[in-house]
Amino acid sequence: GKRQGGNSYEVFEPAMHAAALARLELKADLERALENDEFHLVYQPIVELGDGAVVGLEALLRWTHPTRGAISPVEFIPLAEETGLIPQIGRWVLERACERAVVWQASLPPAAKLSISVNLAGRQLQSADLIDQVTDVLERTGIDPHDLMLEITESTLMDEVAIVATRLAELKRLGVRIAVDDFGTGFSSLSYLQRFPVDVLKIAKSFV
């Protein structure tokens, strides 16, 4: 350890240094991931319990690093938040998912329902140009707004309440639907939810 004056010691751990360095490198790699086409989406089916029909798909972002292989979203999403890349990456996800949904819808019988769910990060929701982005994607892809479900977590809902409430109201005016994911893990209550135009509640796994 290194003596710091007085009676305090600062312990320097090589492992801590290595972890911090690896994190920095990953951040730099993340900035190149979008232009190098290293992201892809996987789709999780949303099934009607009554008849087992697939009525929707949730788009989930995956990153295949050129040397490290698959990197978990649990690891890279917080980094994307920190580096301010979330709006760009979020825009890419939204556009790709809507394009794909339109292609799949075209191959289904007219009566079939197929919505697409896309996760929005807190920073995206608070961003002033989110509404323009969503409007642009709706126009470019031609998806029916009602078939787009934007998902936010309960913790996002409780952060910057005034901004979030305004933004959700603006999104609802576009005709898209809003889902709250992980409901029950935070401290919000059902009465609190009345302040927001929410269409779907996804109950947290721990309650199911």
Side-chain angles (χ1 to χ4, degrees):
K2 159 170 83 106
R3 193 149 180 99
Q4 212 190 359
N7 293 322
S8 68
Y9 279 86
E10 195 178 292
V11 177
F12 178 72
E13 286 285 348
M16 282 160 60
H17 178 66
L21 204 61
R23 204 176 150 76
L24 271 176
E25 283 174 1
L26 206 55
K27 267 188 182 180
D29 293 344
L30 194 56
E31 295 189 5
R32 291 187 289 267
L34 204 52
E35 58 201 58
N36 292 347
D37 215 16
E38 292 164 18
F39 289 121
H40 69 280
L41 297 179
V42 294
Y43 297 89
Q44 187 169 306
I46 299 164
V47 176
E48 190 75 69
L49 283 178
D51 56 8
V54 173
V55 291
L57 297 162
E58 182 178 352
L60 302 169
L61 181 63
R62 296 290 180 261
W63 179 21
T64 307
H65 188 280
T67 56
R68 286 186 47 186
I71 294 180
S72 162
V74 175
E75 193 177 353
F76 76 77
I77 295 292
L79 285 184
E81 290 262 14
E82 279 174 38
T83 49
L85 285 169
I86 274 286
Q88 281 166 272
I89 295 172
R91 162 74 195 235
W92 182 88
V93 171
L94 187 63
E95 195 150 350
R96 289 292 167 287
C98 288
E99 281 171 0
R100 193 96 276 326
V102 169
V103 170
W104 278 324
Q105 284 173 337
S107 68
L108 290 170
K113 294 200 297 281
L114 188 75
S115 65
I116 188 83
S117 295
V118 175
N119 296 290
L120 281 189
R123 189 173 282 202
Q124 271 178 289
L125 197 60
Q126 289 169 25
S127 148
D129 68 349
L130 176 68
I131 303 305
D132 287 344
Q133 274 196 22
V134 175
T135 305
D136 187 46
V137 168
L138 290 172
E139 285 172 359
R140 284 165 64 126
T141 61
I143 193 170
D144 181 333
H146 189 73
D147 291 335
L148 175 59
M149 179 87 75
L150 295 175
E151 293 196 10
I152 57 171
T153 60
E154 184 186 29
S155 54
T156 298
L157 199 61
M158 298 170 70
D159 195 27
E160 299 285 355
V161 172
I163 295 176
V164 169
T166 304
R167 202 71 79 239
L168 292 183
E170 291 169 342
L171 286 169
K172 286 301 293 174
R173 280 199 286 278
L174 294 179
V176 303
R177 290 183 296 154
I178 307 293
V180 175
D181 200 1
D182 262 355
F183 184 73
T185 50
F187 300 102
S188 66
S189 63
L190 289 168
S191 58
Y192 175 90
L193 275 182
Q194 291 177 321
R195 306 170 62 172
F196 304 100
V198 171
D199 299 283
V200 173
L201 279 187
K202 294 173 74 179
I203 308 298
K205 261 194 201 110
S206 51
F207 291 101
V208 176

